[in-house]
């Protein structure tokens, strides 16, 4: 299973705040931003770097600098809540957007928007906070690969075993980084215990 679950105590603390149904939208957004920072730091652990030398006020010393460009693709609309953290960490990131809407009866997602840069050679993050059935993630990764990306990490807040299994089956080369692996899905295919509809809670549209 190509899944990494954060074990940092701060990540666990932030996740509880997101799960809490009484957390208002403004706090939900701030908490999402902080947790995303932790997720992205883990997700980019294998990004390429190069050796360099720098002159400090004392002497010349060696160090490492990033040598691989980054791409980020949030899945609309919930994935937008994760984007700012990526831009703060990597200001030169190339950003694309994929819009998918889920049919509440079938849980099948259909695309309504796609705008992607050339992702060839870029270490690319697919941002979608909820990995439920894996259908949306699978479609998004297919489009990201079509844009040239070959080094892709799926970044989510919570994941269901069904979604992890689906994405691992369809895209075994894609690593998944999540703050939690939850119990599963209910009869509406919502993640249990989950945290509700992420987009609604993010934007106060419940």
């Amino acid at each position: 299973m190509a899944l990494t679950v954060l074990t940092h105590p701060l990540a666990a603390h932030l996740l509880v705040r997101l799960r809490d149904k009484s957390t208002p939208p403004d706090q939900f957004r701030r908490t999402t931003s902080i947790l995303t920072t932790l997720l992205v730091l883990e997700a980019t652990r294998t990004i390429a770097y190069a050796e360099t030398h720098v002159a400090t006020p004392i002497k010349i010393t060696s160090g490492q600098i990033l040598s691989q460009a980054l791409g980020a693709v949030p899945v609309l609309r919930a994935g937008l809540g994760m984007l700012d953290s990526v831009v703060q960490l990597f200001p030169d990131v190339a950003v694309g957007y994929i819009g998918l809407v889920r049919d509440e009866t079938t849980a099948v997602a259909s695309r309504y928007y796609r705008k992607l840069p050339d992702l060839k050679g870029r270490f690319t993050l697919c941002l979608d906070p909820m990995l439920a059935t894996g259908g949306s993630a699978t479609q998004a990764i297919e489009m990201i690969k079509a844009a040239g990306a070959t080094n892709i990490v799926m970044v989510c807040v919570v994941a269901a075993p069904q979604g992890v299994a689906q994405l691992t089956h369809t895209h075994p080369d894609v690593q998944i980084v999540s703050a939690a692996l939850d119990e599963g899905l209910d009869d509406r295919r919502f993640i249990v215990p989950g945290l509700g509809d992420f987009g609604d809670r993010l934007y106060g549209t419940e």
Side-chain angles (χ1 to χ4, degrees), residues 43-192:
T44 56
R45 184 180 292 274
T46 60
I47 194 169
Y49 62 89
E51 298 294 326
T52 190
H53 290 85
V54 62
T56 79
I58 309 301
K59 62 172 291 186
I60 294 176
T61 188
S62 61
Q64 295 86 35
I65 57 172
L66 297 179
S67 61
Q68 186 174 16
L70 191 83
V73 182
V75 177
L76 306 178
R77 65 180 169 152
L80 285 175
M82 307 174 75
L83 180 60
D84 282 350
S85 298
V86 179
V87 175
Q88 289 293 323
L89 290 169
F90 300 92
D92 295 329
V93 62
V95 179
Y97 300 91
I98 292 173
L100 297 171
V101 60
R102 188 175 90 152
D103 185 293
E104 295 300 330
T105 302
T106 65
V108 175
S110 58
R111 189 189 84 202
Y112 65 87
Y113 186 76
R114 177 179 62 187
K115 181 69 173 179
L116 297 174
D118 183 359
L119 295 171
K120 185 177 181 180
R122 292 184 179 271
F123 190 103
T124 304
L125 306 176
C126 180
L127 308 172
D128 194 349
M130 311 294 285
L131 180 57
T133 65
S136 295
T138 295
Q139 288 189 51
I141 297 298
E142 288 172 356
M143 287 182 266
I144 289 170
K145 286 183 174 180
T150 56
N151 193 348
I152 306 166
V153 180
M154 180 78 205
V155 184
C156 53
V157 174
V158 293
Q162 295 92 327
V164 172
Q166 173 66 20
L167 190 57
T168 302
H169 173 71
T170 54
H171 298 288
D173 55 324
V174 173
Q175 178 72 23
I176 304 166
V177 175
S178 179
L181 179 63
D182 277 8
E183 298 170 13
L185 304 175
D186 64 13
D187 56 1
R188 297 183 301 159
R189 299 182 181 87
F190 275 62
I191 299 176
V192 178

Side-chain angles (χ1 to χ4, degrees), residues 22 36 80 167 205:
S22 69
T36 299
L80 285 175
L167 190 57
T205 54

